[in-house]
Amino acid sequence: MEKKTVLATATVGRPHGVEGFLRIYPLSGEYEHLLKLDEALLELKNKEKVKVTVKDVKMHQDALLMRFNEYADREKAKLLSGSLMYIRRDKCPPLKKGEYYIADLYDAPLVFEGERVGTVVDTSEGAQALLLHVRTEDGRIFLVPNMKPFIEKVDMEKGEIVLAMKELLS
């Protein structure tokens, strides 16, 4: 399993003021790392990707505002509204022991008693836990809650997810 070099970290909102600032909404709720950001990759609504360099970042009340060199006026900045912001992994907040990025779950093998029983192909938010969309060898998709008692552990060192209840895949 190959680690992604860039991670989705925020969404870009509407412009703020006339100087080209945009509201930035961190996906994790953490924003300190974004205050020091110098560049990002934005995926526009039409799926086009554009590289941007950060001209200015500031807090206004409780909103994080960012302005990019390539889109430094309000009219140009408007084109970026609704984008998804990706940043380099080394610019993301450091992980604590036992933590991992959701992006690292994609393509991870799901194993039960040492045997591969499926692969994580997607995720979605569930009521109590992240739901892993697992494709089994026969092509069927199952939703597996990423929590005990269903998942024994997420082992990032081995790059695998250990399933505790194989019945979830039948």
Side-chain angles (χ1 to χ4, degrees), residues 11-161:
T11 57
V12 179
R14 60 182 163 68
H16 177 87
V18 296
E19 298 176 331
F21 280 96
L22 292 156
R23 294 175 186 273
I24 304 296
Y25 301 100
L27 297 175
S28 67
E30 295 182 39
Y31 63 87
E32 293 82 12
H33 63 291
L34 297 172
L35 294 171
K36 301 176 222 153
L37 195 62
D38 56 353
E39 65 181 10
L41 182 67
L42 301 182
E43 183 178 15
L44 306 177
K45 288 184 204 177
N46 66 3
K47 301 300 181 195
E48 178 186 351
K49 292 189 172 132
V50 294
K51 188 174 180 180
V52 292
T53 52
V54 178
K55 181 174 185 171
D56 200 8
V57 181
K58 66 181 182 179
M59 293 299 296
H60 176 71
Q61 297 172 353
D62 62 347
L64 175 64
L65 304 176
M66 197 173 284
R67 181 166 56 162
F68 305 106
N69 286 320
E70 300 83 357
Y71 297 84
D73 68 59
R74 182 181 175 87
E75 290 308 307
K76 285 184 181 178
K78 255 199 263 191
L79 300 171
L80 302 177
S81 292
S83 298
L84 186 57
M85 178 184 287
Y86 291 85
I87 65 173
R88 288 193 342 250
R89 182 180 283 272
D90 63 349
K91 300 287 185 178
C92 292
L95 295 171
K96 296 177 184 134
K97 185 176 167 91
E99 289 184 331
Y100 48 85
Y101 292 112
I102 292 173
D104 293 334
L105 300 177
Y106 288 82
D107 299 324
L110 190 71
V111 298
F112 181 76
E113 296 179 349
E115 176 190 333
R116 184 185 190 126
V117 293
T119 304
V120 176
V121 294
D122 203 358
T123 62
S124 59
E125 291 293 326
Q128 293 182 328
L130 184 71
L131 295 174
L132 305 176
H133 298 228
V134 176
R135 177 175 285 128
T136 57
E137 299 302 317
D138 62 6
R140 295 183 297 162
I141 302 283
F142 293 90
L143 299 180
V144 178
N146 186 21
M147 62 185 279
K148 290 190 182 284
F150 312 110
I151 296 295
E152 187 175 313
K153 71 178 176 175
V154 175
D155 189 338
M156 284 292 109
E157 286 182 21
K158 288 185 178 178
E160 65 185 22
I161 301 166

